[in-house]
């Protein structure tokens, strides 16, 4: 079905959403207050709810290997720490690459239609996961290939965010996009918390000894395969396509030529890349640095499954808070504050790691000494996650604001040229969301890979060096944020400054 062209900006918006069919809404203008109050807000809210549900499942499937990888050795698979870090990094790379085409599909076939397709595609990584973990002879390369399909869940984020961006007015985008993203992000915490419960089947966390045959990783795969079917049906019955979201691929990809697209992408590597990268690596980081496996006495060391989900949970809940703060005080200011927090607390995490004693022989006495530092390590790491969430929310507020600011400089106030530019600004912002989201997710690949450095044989030393690199990177991000969006320009260039644009 072909889509109608966007309504002419010179004509009055309808007082209520006009439907072409039960599946398509012909005209959509959330910036018109009468339109928004007469039914637009309710429709937007319904689509937001089911978008969050589908995106939540996508994130859970995307990060299913982050915690399950830590159980593979207990199930008899002989993989090294470097192999496990590489395995959890692969879905992040594939997910980042899929984000651009996933975003484009919203304009091609409709947000509702693509949500149905993307949710059903989650059956691929879940069902193949169930097969792999129940076959002890599954080779490492097969695990890597199956882990790569989990990247399908990572693509859901950008298409969901681009779709919801069309539904809400500029004044409410920060909160709406923050909620949408947080609902997806918390899927990481859910899979990391519930997977040990689902696969163990005993105890409050489902933690049982592998020697008792009590770990069944395939159970998690079956649960999420069933939920993917539910998400597909929910999108079919309860979501809408917007005719006004129609844009051609050429105009969407034109944002690649915008310098601001790549600056925002760089900043998003620092915020979202850190969130997803640390989420993927946290279970293994705790296991390598603080846990002693059998035959150590029961209760020795720190069991990763008790704490692995906390980071993603904190980062998810602070994301809408970052969007709210950005709406109130400006995205650039909040983004700069978030990088300041990342610098401070990443350095603090590094400091706690320098206090640990290397434990090459897994001796109990040395593990107990290191365990005393775990509360500080965890506290600082959770603060790192908190600031990644705040930064995620503020950066996503900045994206539509940047494009709207540029459009507001076209022509004169009230001119057709400016009105047309403002309409196109929303479409460009949605296209940029996909590209920026893809670039940011690459950070989720680079972080685990840095921990798995092939040049450093000792995992603890590789971890320290990685956190030093990350601290320095956040410093660069802070300087870029200040220089581009907050620094007062020379009066001769004031007309191109973003400093007073509310970004």
């Amino acid at each position: 079905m072909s889509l109608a062209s966007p309504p002419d900006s010179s004509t009055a918006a309808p007082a209520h959403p006009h439907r072409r069919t039960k599946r398509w809404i012909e005209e959509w203008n959330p910036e018109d207050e009468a339109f928004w109050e007469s039914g637009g807000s309710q429709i937007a809210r319904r689509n937001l709810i089911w978008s969050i549900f589908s995106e939540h499942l996508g994130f859970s499937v995307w990060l299913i290997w982050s915690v399950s990888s830590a159980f593979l050795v207990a199930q008899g698979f002989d993989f090294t720490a470097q192999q496990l870090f590489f395995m959890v990094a692969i879905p992040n790379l594939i997910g980042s690459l899929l984000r651009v085409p996933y975003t484009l599909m919203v304009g091609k076939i409709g947000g509702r239609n693509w949500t149905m397709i993307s949710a059903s595609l989650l059956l691929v990584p879940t069902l193949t996961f169930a097969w792999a973990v129940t076959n002890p002879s599954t080779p490492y390369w097969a695990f890597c290939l199956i882990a790569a399909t989990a990247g399908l869940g990572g693509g859901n984020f950008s298409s969901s965010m681009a779709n919801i961006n069309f539904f809400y007015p500029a004044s409410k985008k920060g909160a709406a996009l923050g909620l949408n993203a947080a609902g997806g992000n918390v899927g990481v915490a859910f899979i990391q918390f519930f997977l040990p419960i689902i696969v163990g089947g005993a105890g409050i966390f489902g933690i049982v000894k592998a020697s008792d045959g009590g770990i069944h990783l395939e159970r998690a795969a079956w649960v999420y395969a069933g939920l993917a079917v539910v998400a597909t049906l929910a999108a079919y019955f309860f979501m809408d396509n917007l005719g006004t979201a129609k844009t051609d691929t050429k105009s969407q990809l034109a944002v690649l030529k915008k310098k601001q697209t790549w600056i925002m992408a760089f900043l998003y590597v620092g915020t979202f890349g850190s969130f997803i990268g640390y989420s993927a690596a946290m279970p293994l980081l705790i296991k390598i640095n603080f846990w002693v496996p059998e035959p150590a006495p029961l209760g020795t060391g720190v069991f990763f499954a008790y704490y692995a989900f906390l980071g993603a949970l904190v980062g998810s809940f602070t994301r809408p808070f970052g969007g709210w703060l950005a709406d109130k005080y400006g995205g650039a200011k909040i983004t700069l504050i978030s990088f300041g927090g990342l610098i401070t607390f990443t350095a603090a995490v590094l400091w706690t790691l320098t206090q640990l004693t290397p434990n090459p022989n897994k001796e109990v006495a040395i593990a107990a000494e290191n365990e005393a530092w775990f509360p500080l390590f965890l506290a600082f790491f959770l603060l790192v996650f908190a600031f990644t969430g705040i930064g995620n929310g503020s950066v996503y507020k900045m994206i539509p604001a940047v494009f709207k600011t540029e459009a507001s400089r076209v022509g004169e106030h009230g001119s057709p040229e400016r009105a047309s530019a403002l309409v196109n600004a929303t479409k460009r912002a949605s296209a940029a969301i996909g590209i920026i989201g893809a670039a940011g997710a690459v950070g989720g690949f680079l972080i685990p890979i840095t921990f798995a450095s092939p040049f450093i044989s000792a995992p603890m030393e590789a971890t320290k060096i990685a956190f030093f690199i990350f601290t320095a990177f956040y410093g660069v991000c802070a300087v870029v944020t200040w220089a581009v969006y907050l620094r007062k320009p020379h009066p001769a260039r004031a007309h191109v400054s973003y400093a007073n644009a509310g970004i």
Side-chain angles (χ1 to χ4, degrees):
M1 180 183 293
S2 61
L3 301 181
S5 301
D8 189 276
S9 59
S10 62
T11 62
H16 56 82
H18 175 64
R19 292 183 179 275
R20 183 192 312 162
T21 70
K22 291 183 178 180
R23 307 305 180 196
W24 288 90
I25 296 178
E26 178 94 23
E27 297 176 354
W28 188 260
N29 188 359
E31 299 295 344
D32 183 271
E33 188 172 344
F35 176 94
W36 184 251
E37 295 297 331
S38 65
S41 61
Q42 290 89 339
I43 292 174
R45 189 181 306 114
R46 171 165 45 80
N47 279 270
L48 174 61
I49 289 171
W50 292 109
S51 174
I52 289 174
F53 179 65
S54 179
E55 187 192 346
H56 173 92
L57 295 182
F59 265 91
S60 294
V61 173
W62 193 19
L63 271 292
I64 194 171
W65 289 98
S66 68
V67 64
S68 61
S69 63
F71 284 108
L72 290 178
V73 174
Q75 282 204 284
F77 295 97
D78 187 20
F79 300 144
T80 66
Q82 288 181 335
Q83 286 177 313
L84 293 175
F85 272 123
F86 182 74
M87 187 187 300
V88 302
I90 293 174
N92 293 343
L93 177 62
I94 301 302
S96 67
L97 296 176
L98 288 177
R99 286 187 163 197
V100 172
Y102 266 54
T103 302
L104 297 177
M105 294 307 295
V106 171
K108 288 292 184 182
I109 66 174
R112 164 191 169 272
N113 293 347
W114 183 246
T115 301
M116 291 170 53
I117 294 172
S118 60
S120 63
L121 284 174
L122 297 179
L123 293 172
V124 176
T126 52
L127 297 181
T128 53
F129 176 97
W131 170 82
V133 298
T134 52
N135 287 273
S137 60
T138 304
Y140 177 72
W141 65 264
F143 272 105
C144 290
L145 185 62
I146 294 169
T149 67
L152 291 167
N156 286 12
F157 174 81
S158 286
S159 57
S160 178
M161 293 293 277
N163 185 40
I164 294 304
N165 183 56
F166 281 108
F167 276 95
Y168 279 83
S171 61
K172 301 182 185 297
K173 285 184 191 294
L177 292 176
L179 285 171
N180 190 56
N185 290 173
V186 81
V188 180
F190 265 64
I191 193 67
Q192 291 179 337
F193 177 81
F194 284 108
L195 185 141
I197 300 175
I198 295 169
V199 306
I204 188 170
F205 286 94
I207 305 303
V208 292
K209 295 182 180 179
S211 59
D212 295 335
I215 295 178
H216 300 277
L217 288 172
E218 72 279 3
R219 292 177 183 171
W222 291 118
V223 168
Y224 276 90
L227 290 173
V229 174
V230 173
T232 303
L233 294 175
Y236 177 81
F237 287 109
F238 303 118
M239 293 187 71
D240 302 288
N241 298 308
L242 293 182
T244 54
K246 174 68 176 178
T247 54
D248 62 274
T249 303
K250 182 178 179 181
S251 64
Q252 285 189 310
L253 293 180
V255 298
L256 288 170
K257 300 177 182 179
K258 293 283 188 179
K259 180 178 68 174
Q260 293 300 323
T261 300
W262 296 108
I263 295 175
M264 298 300 298
F266 178 76
L267 299 180
Y268 203 54
V269 169
T271 58
F272 180 76
S274 296
F275 170 81
I276 204 68
Y278 290 145
S279 296
M282 191 173 183
L284 288 174
L285 286 174
I286 296 175
K287 183 175 182 180
I288 288 171
N289 292 284
F290 297 99
W291 183 49
V292 180
E294 296 182 77
L298 184 64
T300 301
V302 177
F303 197 84
F304 64 90
Y306 292 155
Y307 308 98
F309 71 96
L310 291 174
L313 186 67
V314 170
S316 299
F317 281 121
T318 57
R319 181 160 190 160
F321 180 60
W324 177 81
L325 287 174
D327 283 339
K328 189 174 181 65
Y329 300 106
K333 292 178 181 178
I334 303 304
T335 299
L336 182 61
I337 291 172
S338 74
F339 282 124
L342 286 171
I343 294 169
T344 301
F345 293 110
T346 305
V349 169
L350 174 60
W351 174 75
T352 61
L353 292 174
T354 60
Q355 309 305 309
L356 302 183
T357 303
N359 189 15
N361 299 318
K362 307 297 183 186
E363 297 175 4
V364 177
I366 297 179
E369 179 183 330
N370 288 347
E371 186 178 351
W373 288 98
F374 180 72
L376 272 180
F377 167 85
L378 181 64
F380 290 143
F381 212 167
L382 293 183
L383 286 168
V384 168
F385 273 101
F387 280 101
T388 66
I390 291 172
N392 286 338
S394 61
V395 168
Y396 256 70
K397 160 65 178 179
M398 292 172 68
I399 297 170
V402 165
F403 284 92
K404 183 179 180 180
T405 297
E406 291 186 344
S408 67
R409 294 168 178 161
V410 175
E412 300 294 330
H413 178 70
S415 67
E417 293 83 6
R418 180 172 294 185
S420 177
L422 289 171
V423 170
N424 289 329
T426 297
K427 297 178 180 179
R428 290 189 174 186
S430 289
I433 280 173
I435 295 167
I436 293 167
V442 171
F445 170 75
L446 295 176
I447 283 179
I449 287 297
T450 306
F451 288 131
S453 173
F455 304 105
I456 305 172
S457 58
M460 287 181 66
E461 291 304 313
T463 301
K464 295 174 188 176
I465 293 173
F467 276 110
F468 177 81
I469 294 172
F470 302 149
T471 303
F473 174 70
Y474 298 140
V476 175
C477 290
V479 170
V480 170
T481 302
W482 172 80
V484 177
Y485 300 109
L486 294 172
R487 179 171 59 93
K488 300 295 183 180
H490 187 278
R493 291 182 53 80
H495 65 288
V496 296
S497 171
Y498 292 93
N500 297 312
I503 292 174

